[in-house]
Amino acid sequence: MIKNILKGIQAYSGALALISKLKLWKYFFIPIIISIITATIIGLSAYGLSDNLGRFLAKIWIWDWGKETFTSITSVIGGIIIIAIGLILYKHIIMALSAPFMSPVSEKIEAHLTGIEKHHHRNTSFKEQLWRGIRINMRNLGKELLITFPILLLKFIPVINIFSTVLLFLVQAYYAGFGNMDYTLERHFKYRESIQFVRKHRGIAIGNGIVFMLFLLIPVIGVILVLPMSVTAASLKTVNLLKDDQLLGGHKTLV
């Protein structure tokens, strides 16, 4: 698992050069706008809601003693909850709406790596790619929220809350990498087959998603570069995985 996570991270090393070499920047224009608008709306909403959630959680403490301390703690926890949910929503919204624009990017990277200009895989329209992106990300959003809420409850337990932060980050990373890999898998597999493929290579998804999440910590620039870099890195790695599986007889769709 650790080895595959590192491979997912290392794929970013050649991403920027490949974007320039294949002249892919034009495909990222609309997704970058979607990313900026979504981040702005969610960021402003999170800023306004964090204090309200903190005060709401503070009502759990019915005693007078320690009330001020507990309120301070819940304000921090409320902020973390809002940020976590905000990142989850941001991630799935931009990946779903960007699907029709990212599929051509992935396709050009695959053609570059394989030397095959015109693929003979599944041909899908703009509408089908958008629906596929929405369907995958709605499915992942539901699963991620189900996993995230129990982890957030661990924030109330001292010491354990440190490990819960790491776990929360890895869960978010996995589903970010999942979405990025699906832009390539969309041409090769149907919905359920893609899910099975990502599960098999979950380390790669986590590695890709870790850098995706770290990009979001960089003010302004992170929101602009997160999709171009992460999608390119995921496409590079996913195409190579598909080629390896073909050699192993794992997937006949590439034959």
Side-chain angles (χ1 to χ4, degrees):
M1 175 70 79
I2 301 296
K3 184 179 179 180
N4 286 332
I5 289 175
L6 292 175
K7 286 181 179 179
I9 294 173
Q10 289 168 356
Y12 280 84
S13 62
L16 193 59
L18 188 62
I19 292 172
S20 298
K21 182 178 180 178
L22 299 183
K23 299 178 181 178
L24 300 175
W25 285 112
K26 60 185 177 182
Y27 294 98
F28 294 113
F29 181 70
I30 294 178
I32 285 174
I33 292 176
I34 293 172
S35 179
I36 292 172
I37 292 174
T38 304
T40 301
I41 293 172
I42 290 178
L44 291 175
S45 300
Y47 180 78
L49 290 173
S50 57
D51 288 341
N52 293 334
L53 181 59
R55 286 193 292 269
F56 175 76
L57 292 174
K59 293 179 181 179
I60 299 172
W61 193 267
I62 59 174
W63 302 276
D64 291 330
W65 59 272
K67 184 73 173 179
E68 187 175 338
T69 301
F70 188 77
T71 302
S72 299
I73 294 172
T74 54
S75 295
V76 173
I77 293 174
I80 292 172
I81 291 173
I82 292 295
I83 290 171
I85 295 175
L87 284 173
I88 291 172
L89 292 174
Y90 163 81
K91 179 174 66 208
H92 292 296
I93 289 171
I94 64 166
M95 287 195 295
L97 298 181
S98 299
F101 307 99
M102 296 299 95
S103 291
V105 170
S106 171
E107 188 172 345
K108 287 187 175 296
I109 292 172
E110 182 173 342
H112 172 72
L113 294 177
T114 61
I116 303 172
E117 288 296 326
K118 188 171 179 62
H119 69 80
H120 299 286
H121 313 309
R122 300 175 67 244
N123 290 314
T124 51
S125 64
F126 183 97
K127 182 180 178 181
E128 288 171 328
Q129 290 165 359
L130 178 60
W131 173 241
R132 164 76 172 235
I134 292 173
R135 187 182 179 194
I136 281 285
N137 282 283
M138 285 296 291
R139 177 258 182 199
N140 287 350
L141 173 62
K143 289 211 170 258
E144 189 171 354
L145 288 175
L146 282 174
I147 298 171
T148 297
F149 285 127
I151 294 175
L152 289 173
L153 292 177
L154 297 177
K155 291 290 178 189
F156 291 94
I157 305 175
V159 182
I160 292 178
N161 58 12
I162 299 173
F163 299 100
S164 68
T165 301
V166 176
L167 183 57
L168 182 62
F169 181 82
L170 292 176
V171 169
Q172 292 224 13
Y174 171 70
Y175 284 106
F178 191 131
N180 288 327
M181 291 175 71
D182 193 64
Y183 297 133
T184 299
L185 297 176
E186 177 269 335
R187 290 188 302 281
H188 297 272
F189 300 123
K190 294 181 179 179
Y191 177 79
R192 296 193 181 280
E193 292 171 332
S194 290
I195 293 172
Q196 292 171 0
F197 184 91
V198 177
R199 282 176 180 167
K200 178 181 176 183
H201 301 287
R202 60 170 59 91
I204 300 295
I206 292 173
N208 178 270
I210 284 174
V211 183
F212 180 102
M213 298 303 297
L214 291 176
F215 261 110
L216 298 182
L217 299 179
I218 306 172
V220 186
I221 299 298
V223 173
I224 293 172
L225 291 180
V226 66
L227 271 178
M229 294 295 288
S230 62
V231 170
T232 302
S235 298
L236 278 167
K237 202 65 207 170
T238 305
V239 170
N240 286 328
L241 288 172
L242 288 167
K243 288 168 67 178
D244 290 343
D245 278 9
Q246 178 189 8
L247 293 174
L248 294 173
H251 296 286
K252 295 179 181 180
T253 49
L254 286 174
V255 178

